[in-house]
Structure formats: structure tokens, C-alpha cells
Amino acid sequence: MDRIHKELSEAKSVAISGHIRPDGDCMGSCLGLYNYIQKRYPEVDVDVYLESIPPAFKFMKNSDKIHLDCESDKVYDLFFSLDCGAKDRLGKAAKYLDSAKKSICIDHHVSNDGFADINYIEPDISSTSQYVYELIDTSYVDIPIAECLYVGIVHDTGVFQYDCTSSRTMAVAGELMDKGIDYSRLIDESYYMKYIIQNRVMGYCLLNCELKLDGKVVVAVLPLEVSKKYGAVPSDFEGIVAQLRHTYGIEVAIFAYEFPTGGYKISLRSCNYVDVSKIAMKYDGGGHVKAAGCSVKGDIETILEDILAQVSEQL
Ligand code: 5GP
Ligand code: MN
């Protein structure tokens, strides 16, 4: 507890960033830490940089203060990289890490090689949001901070279901509940509720998915022309691969969507024994043993053939 106090008490300016195409844990950990610093160290000048803000997380306090561009050349005393498994996944905000006097990485990706000056990397912790909670003085956690961290934990544990959920995760979630958050509404509105566009693209993927490798793998591909037709953007695809994984008999779920700039984003999930982070790392991606991703250029048939060959080796 309070393990980042020394650095925070010595810094006059702080920047926080997380991975590109931020998800719930990335948003929750970045804004949770931002709101904590503002509350506990009001004299510190703190900025958050994120590539985008998915609408489901706009309720988080100060989401409107997030800098979406990295045009300023400000040099910070301290830079936090949160929930980001590799430096290149910081996107444009990596320049603030390079120029900062000191950097701290807080993360739970197995594939993280520790690219900051101080690295808190724990693959066994459910989420970066939980990890942030473990490193701060929790007596300063108020309702808005608790909301951010709780939602981050909810998203990375699939509502306390995935096996990254430990009894400690539940204890932390319980402490956050005790701060007075409306946990039931938070789960519903940030995790389960979907916009109609999101339901439609999910419907397309479920309708068109295919079984491979004797039914051990389910694959769905979302071509650019389809996402364009529905007016959907990458943050609308959250949850599709998790739904594919809920198919009886499969071990691995693969979801690929086409980027407007060419190439595909691949999301991989496994149920029991396949280590998908190993597969993602072969394509310069990464993640966790049961949830990983990568970006790949080329023709989708060839990409999938290649990935399926690697899944097959592990099956
Ligand atoms: P998703 O499939 O939901 O995008 O990502 C699953 C997990 O893998 C997340 O923890 C995410 O941070 C990680 N991940 C996804 N894509 C990449 C990538 O291109 N590089 C790295 N290092 N990690 C990724
Ligand atoms: Mn995470």
C-alpha cells in the first residue's frame, strides 16, 4: 500500500497513459489513478493521454479531461504507463515516456518486458485497476475513484468470472463496494448494455462464424465493408470474441476485424489449456495466457491458416 507515494510526492508534473484502443481496465486504471492524484496531491499538475474514449466509459469522472492528441511537447517529471503490455502499444503517448524524468509501468500482461524505469508487473493480478488499488493509499479512494477501479476490474475479469479472479480480487471489489458505488448499475451500463450498432455487428459475427479443427476452434471475420455498412468502429467490437468463446466444445475463439488502413486485428481467447499469448507474440502481439491479440497484415485466409496451424500444434 502507498508504494508509489515517494515518486508522486517528489513530482510536480505527471502524465498517465495506457494502451491504444483503450478498454475498460485501461480506462478505469488511468482515470482511477488520475482522480486519485488530483485528490491526494492537488498541487501536482497531472494529464491523461488516451487514443479514444469508448462511450460506455464516459461516465467516469474527468473522462472529458483526457487528451486525445499528443501535440504538446510538455516534459513531465513522472510518466505512468498503465495496462500497456509493450511500449509501442502506448501509441503517440510514448514520446512522454521517452522525455519524462522518471517512468513507472503498472501492468498485468505476461508479455510485458518492463520498459519503464520502475516496473510493477504482476501477471497474476486480475487487472491493472486492481493493481493500482494495491499501490495507493486506499483511504483516499472516494466514490468516483472507486467507480473507475471497480469497472476496470469488472471488465478484465468478465464480471468476476475468468480465472484471473482471485479471492483478493473479490476482497478489493468488496472494499470498493463499501465506498458506496452503485455496483449493479455500473456492471449493467458499462459491461452488458450495447448500442444497437454493436448488437448488429455482434449478430453478423455470430451468424457467420465457422468451426475449424474438428470443432475445437470458432472463427469470425468482420470485413471492413460490413463494419462500414453498420457504421461501427473498433470500440464497438468489444465483447464479440467473449461471446464466441461461449460455444460448447471449442477450446479457442478467434475474432478478426479489418482495419480501415488495411490488415487485421486478431483477438484470441482460450477456454482451458491453449496459451494464446504465445501465438499472439509470434505476430508481435501479446496479452495473457487465455486472452491475447495482435495486428497482422496480409490476406485473411493465409493469416487464419497460419494461426490455426499454431493452435493445432497446442491442441
Ligand atoms: P483484445 O483481444 O481484447 O484486444 O486483447 C486481449 C488482450 O491482449 C489484452 O490484454 C490486450 O492488452 C492484449 N493485446 C491485444 N492486442 C495486442 C497487441 O497487438 N500487442 C500486445 N502486446 N498486446 C495485445
Ligand atoms: Mn488489463
Side-chain angles (χ1 to χ4, degrees):
M1 187 171 141
D2 221 6
R3 282 157 73 191
I4 51 178
H5 174 64
K6 182 176 173 289
E7 285 76 25
L8 278 172
S9 59
E10 287 168 358
K12 288 199 172 63
S13 61
V14 174
I16 300 169
S17 190
H19 63 78
I20 51 171
R21 296 185 293 276
D23 58 9
D25 186 31
C26 182
M27 291 290 307
S29 55
C30 287
L31 283 174
L33 181 63
Y34 176 83
N35 290 319
Y36 169 79
I37 294 173
Q38 286 228 313
K39 177 158 183 171
R40 183 169 178 192
Y41 308 92
E43 68 290 352
V44 171
D45 172 25
V46 52
D47 291 318
V48 190
Y49 294 88
L50 287 169
E51 191 193 50
S52 56
I53 310 166
F57 308 122
K58 284 206 170 130
F59 76 89
M60 290 179 179
K61 185 180 174 187
N62 286 322
S63 69
D64 57 332
K65 304 273 167 38
I66 293 171
H67 296 271
L68 295 169
D69 66 65
C70 298
E71 272 157 28
S72 139
D73 284 324
K74 212 160 148 180
V75 172
Y76 293 91
D77 291 339
L78 187 58
F79 178 90
F80 281 95
S81 169
L82 301 184
D83 199 38
C84 186
K87 191 177 156 186
D88 64 316
R89 298 250 302 151
L90 284 171
K92 289 182 182 152
K95 74 174 191 184
Y96 300 119
L97 176 136
D98 290 333
S99 61
K101 292 187 190 131
K102 203 181 257 183
S103 57
I104 300 182
C105 181
I106 305 174
D107 188 30
H108 68 132
H109 290 96
V110 245
S111 49
N112 193 318
D113 61 6
F115 52 86
D117 298 326
I118 302 170
N119 296 285
Y120 293 102
I121 299 160
E122 276 295 341
D124 289 337
I125 292 189
S126 71
S127 51
T128 304
S129 299
Q130 181 186 335
Y131 207 170
V132 166
Y133 186 85
E134 308 286 13
L135 297 173
I136 62 179
D137 180 343
T138 58
S139 67
Y140 288 89
V141 174
D142 55 12
I143 289 180
I145 299 170
E147 286 180 339
C148 295
L149 299 179
Y150 186 83
V151 165
I153 295 172
V154 160
H155 277 253
D156 262 25
T157 58
V159 196
F160 309 108
Q161 185 217 330
Y162 303 148
D163 60 11
C164 62
T165 312
S166 63
S167 61
R168 175 64 191 159
T169 311
M170 302 309 270
V172 169
E175 288 177 28
L176 293 170
M177 285 164 81
D178 289 342
K179 301 283 180 182
I181 60 172
D182 189 348
Y183 47 89
S184 172
R185 184 183 59 80
L186 287 171
I187 294 175
D188 208 31
E189 293 187 1
S190 80
Y191 192 86
Y192 290 112
M193 297 293 287
K194 299 280 174 204
Y195 291 94
I196 194 72
I197 287 176
Q198 297 173 322
N199 279 334
R200 286 186 176 133
V201 285
M202 167 102 72
Y204 173 91
C205 294
L206 299 182
L207 205 54
N208 293 287
C209 68
E210 287 180 20
L211 288 175
K212 304 281 183 188
L213 303 181
D214 292 329
K216 289 282 178 220
V217 181
V218 63
V219 181
V221 178
L222 184 63
L224 185 60
E225 56 179 41
V226 177
S227 25
K228 271 191 180 159
K229 176 177 160 194
Y230 292 108
V233 294
S235 61
D236 293 322
F237 311 149
E238 183 88 36
I240 293 178
V241 71
Q243 186 58 46
L244 288 168
R245 200 187 63 89
H246 290 153
T247 307
Y248 276 124
I250 64 123
E251 168 58 17
V252 173
I254 303 176
F255 169 56
Y257 70 80
E258 193 176 0
F259 288 120
T261 46
Y264 288 82
K265 166 70 206 277
I266 316 276
S267 285
L268 301 158
R269 299 291 185 273
S270 68
C271 295
N272 297 301
Y273 53 89
V274 169
D275 181 348
V276 288
S277 75
K278 269 195 197 154
I279 301 173
M281 280 196 267
K282 290 216 163 126
Y283 302 92
D284 288 331
H288 313 284
V289 173
K290 291 184 178 175
C294 54
S295 296
V296 185
K297 294 245 184 258
D299 133 78
I300 190 65
E301 306 296 329
T302 319
I303 296 169
L304 286 175
E305 220 172 88
D306 213 53
I307 293 178
L308 286 169
Q310 290 178 57
V311 174
S312 177
E313 253 174 46
Q314 283 197 50
L315 281 173

